[in-house]
């Protein structure tokens, strides 16, 4: 508990993760553009830093939870960034979902300054961020992972060191392919059932115990039936993740035909004004094509 933690990025995921660290007794300093989120953390016992540099100067472990690669680059490498203030021996844990290529580049620059870095993206969405049961996939040196493992277990319940730097980010891309294509396949099936005129809720109960059953099915179908698209995982964030999937896949010679089609579906939803919806809102793309709405009878 003696490690001082800096936390940058108090969004949908970051805020509850930082609150869990406080709840577990860690000393936490926070930084974010959202003043309301910062105040919530201060009210819970956190200290405030005015810059990423300030976080670096006052923290043994710096956690970032940011929307995209360029945000992480700016916060870590930029003027008044983490590395401009971090001490030798500090550890950066980037828990954002970013490009593995960018993650490895940042780690290499940090290492030259005597600062270690882990990429540790998460899966589980806002509900698991709140209850501290996230799945966390980690890339980096084993000895660094062992140093900060206790901190990761304050935010998640399934923590896996996948391999060296970039491995966690790559595992997250694979996770996003599986989750989002699962939602898309589920959406096609729900729209088919709705257009055929059967009770979609009863169909869901009939299939959830079989091979079609999944955590995605159980998490998303009830929300779709309630027409609840409040974001746990925003469409625009998942669009960013699938863009990273395609760029990474193409750079190493992996064709991704289903993922490429899903990426276009995300772009269509964004154009249709659905960017802030939960990715369960993929169903709305199929509903528009079939001119039907999935809901309770």
């Amino acid at each position: 508990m003696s490690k001082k933690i800096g936390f940058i990025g108090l969004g949908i995921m970051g805020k509850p993760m930082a609150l869990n660290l406080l709840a577990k007794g860690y000393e936490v300093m926070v930084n974010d553009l959202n003043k309301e989120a910062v105040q919530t953390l201060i009210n819970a016992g956190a200290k405030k830093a005015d810059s990423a540099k300030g976080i670096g100067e006052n923290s043994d472990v710096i956690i970032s939870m940011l929307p995209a690669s360029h945000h992480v680059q700016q916060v870590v490498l930029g003027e008044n960034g983490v590395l401009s203030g971090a001490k030798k021996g500090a550890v950066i844990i980037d828990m954002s979902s970013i490009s593995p290529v960018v993650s490895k580049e940042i780690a290499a620059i940090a290492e030259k300054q005597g600062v270690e870095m882990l990429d540790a993206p998460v899966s589980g969405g806002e509900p698991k961020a709140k209850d501290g049961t996230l799945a966390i996939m980690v890339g980096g040196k084993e000895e660094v992972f062992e140093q900060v493992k206790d901190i990761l277990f304050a935010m998640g319940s399934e923590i896996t060191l996948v391999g060296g730097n970039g491995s966690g980010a790559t595992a997250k891309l694979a996770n996003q392919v599986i989750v989002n294509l699962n939602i898309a396949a589920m959406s096609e099936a729900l729209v088919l059932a709705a257009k055929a005129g059967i009770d979609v809720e009863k169909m869901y109960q009939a299939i959830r115990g079989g091979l079609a059953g999944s955590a995605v099915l159980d998490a998303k179908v009830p929300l779709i039936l309630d027409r609840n698209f409040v974001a746990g995982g925003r469409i625009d964030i998942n669009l960013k993740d699938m863009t990273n999937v395609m760029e990474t896949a193409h750079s190493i010679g992996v064709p991704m035909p289903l993922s490429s089609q899903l990426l276009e579906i995300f772009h269509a939803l964004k154009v249709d004004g659905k960017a802030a919806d939960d990715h369960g809102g993929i169903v709305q793309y199929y509903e528009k094509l079939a001119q039907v709405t999935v809901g309770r009878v």
Side-chain angles (χ1 to χ4, degrees), residues 11-231:
I12 290 173
M13 300 291 288
K15 184 167 77 171
M17 290 163 67
L19 286 169
N20 279 330
L21 289 168
L22 286 168
K24 296 289 172 61
Y26 287 99
E27 185 178 330
V28 180
M29 179 175 279
V30 298
N31 175 256
D32 194 271
L33 295 174
N34 185 329
K35 293 179 181 179
E36 188 178 331
V38 170
Q39 191 59 50
T40 298
L41 268 294
I42 290 171
N43 293 345
K47 296 177 182 177
K48 175 190 171 186
D50 292 325
S51 67
K53 180 179 181 178
I55 291 283
E57 289 171 338
N58 293 286
S59 306
D60 304 307
V61 176
I62 301 101
I63 297 171
S64 51
M65 189 61 171
L66 298 161
S69 296
H70 68 276
H71 296 111
V72 180
Q73 287 172 312
Q74 181 181 354
V75 159
V76 177
L77 306 177
E79 188 178 352
N80 286 322
V82 169
L83 285 181
S84 66
K87 301 164 286 205
K88 284 189 177 180
V91 178
I92 296 169
I93 308 176
D94 179 40
M95 305 190 76
S96 320
S97 296
I98 69 170
S99 159
V101 174
V102 172
S103 188
K104 285 191 275 191
E105 287 173 353
I106 297 171
I109 294 168
E111 188 172 25
K112 288 177 182 175
Q113 292 190 211
V115 175
E116 298 290 350
M117 179 168 160
L118 301 174
D119 45 286
V122 307
S123 180
E126 186 182 11
K128 288 186 177 290
K130 285 182 173 178
D131 63 23
T133 60
L134 289 165
I136 304 176
M137 47 220 89
V138 187
K141 297 174 185 173
E142 186 171 2
E143 61 270 25
V144 178
F145 171 71
E146 291 296 331
Q147 286 175 36
V148 300
K149 191 166 62 173
D150 57 326
I151 293 170
L152 295 173
F153 272 106
M155 298 176 284
S157 57
E158 298 291 334
I159 321 291
T160 306
L161 179 63
V162 181
N165 285 108
S167 298
T170 303
K172 179 59 189 284
L173 293 185
N175 177 86
Q176 295 304 78
V177 171
I178 293 167
V179 169
N180 286 303
L181 284 176
N182 199 333
I183 294 173
M186 176 192 79
S187 296
E188 284 195 9
L190 295 178
V191 168
L192 172 67
K195 189 80 174 191
I198 70 170
D199 186 322
V200 176
E201 186 172 14
K202 287 182 178 176
M203 181 206 73
Y204 161 60
Q205 294 298 337
I207 67 172
R208 65 187 294 265
L211 198 57
S214 70
V216 167
L217 196 75
D218 287 338
K220 299 302 180 183
V221 171
L223 295 176
I224 290 170
L225 290 172
D226 288 338
R227 310 306 294 171
N228 179 0
F229 300 121
V230 175

Side-chain angles (χ1 to χ4, degrees), residues 228-247:
N228 179 0
F229 300 121
V230 175
R234 287 171 57 118
I235 280 171
D236 55 2
I237 296 295
N238 283 278
L239 187 157
K240 175 265 300 180
D241 289 342
M242 295 307 295
T243 300
N244 285 337
V245 165
M246 297 309 302
E247 289 176 354

